[in-house]
Amino acid sequence: MANSKNKPYTPSRRYMSLSSFDEITSDRPVRKLTIALRKTGGRNHHGKITSRRRGGGHRRRYRIIDFKRNKYDFDGKVVSIEYDPNRSSRIALIEYKDKEKRYILAPDGLKVGGKIISSKENSVPFKTGNNTCLKSIPEGLLIHNIELKPLKGAQLARSAGTYAKIMAKENNMVTVKLPSGEMRMVHENCQATIGVVGNK
């Protein structure tokens, strides 16, 4: 991700940098993969304000992200990289051979036209964006989008620029070093995606 500098027409503007959004290839999300995100404006079911100073902002739709990656052994093609107002990372629109489309978190280095695959039992190429069980991923590899319970869906290392590292494997458990530095033991059948989350 590149940053753009602006002309310093005020002192504070001199040190200000903004995201250039160069990697984004599509302006609008796929409507079927979004749901309305309703806001309360800080009001309860009686219409009374219970949380002050809330309200305003741009209307958003929630993009449904495939955190389970359970479309096994189907090649997916990256159709576009998109902005998601609900998270810090970019998202990638994937189209599978059966024409089904899903959103995933876009790893760093994933380009439009690239191929990804998710597998539960078979070993997959250790390439950015591929998803498989922790027991199939070698030690020392950087991963993200990690499950805490098998088939539950990814919960760890999902923010922009984050990654975890596989440190050791023992007794059906895998020791993972999280972005915070914490060491955590996760079951070997939990899935994870290879690579680093994009937009770092």
Side-chain angles (χ1 to χ4, degrees), residues 2-60:
N3 286 349
S4 64
K5 289 273 189 179
N6 294 299
K7 189 174 180 180
Y9 50 81
T10 63
S12 60
R13 199 81 170 159
R14 184 176 299 279
Y15 303 102
M16 186 176 172
S17 64
L18 296 168
S19 177
S20 63
F21 299 98
D22 288 338
E23 68 276 18
I24 291 173
T25 60
S26 178
D27 292 338
R28 292 181 175 274
V30 177
R31 186 83 177 179
K32 286 183 178 177
L33 297 178
T34 65
I35 54 174
L37 200 63
R38 308 291 185 201
K39 294 185 177 180
T40 62
R43 289 160 176 79
N44 64 9
H45 63 291
H46 293 301
K48 300 280 188 181
I49 292 178
T50 53
S51 300
R52 295 181 298 166
R53 291 163 181 75
R54 288 197 181 183
H58 199 287
R59 285 184 69 180
R60 306 193 276 200

Side-chain angles (χ1 to χ4, degrees), residues 62 65-69 87 103 105 145 147 153-154 158:
Y62 180 77
I65 309 293
D66 179 20
F67 287 118
K68 293 192 174 181
R69 295 290 295 272
R87 63 193 72 251
Y103 278 124
L105 298 184
N145 221 30
E147 289 182 329
R158 304 191 324 192

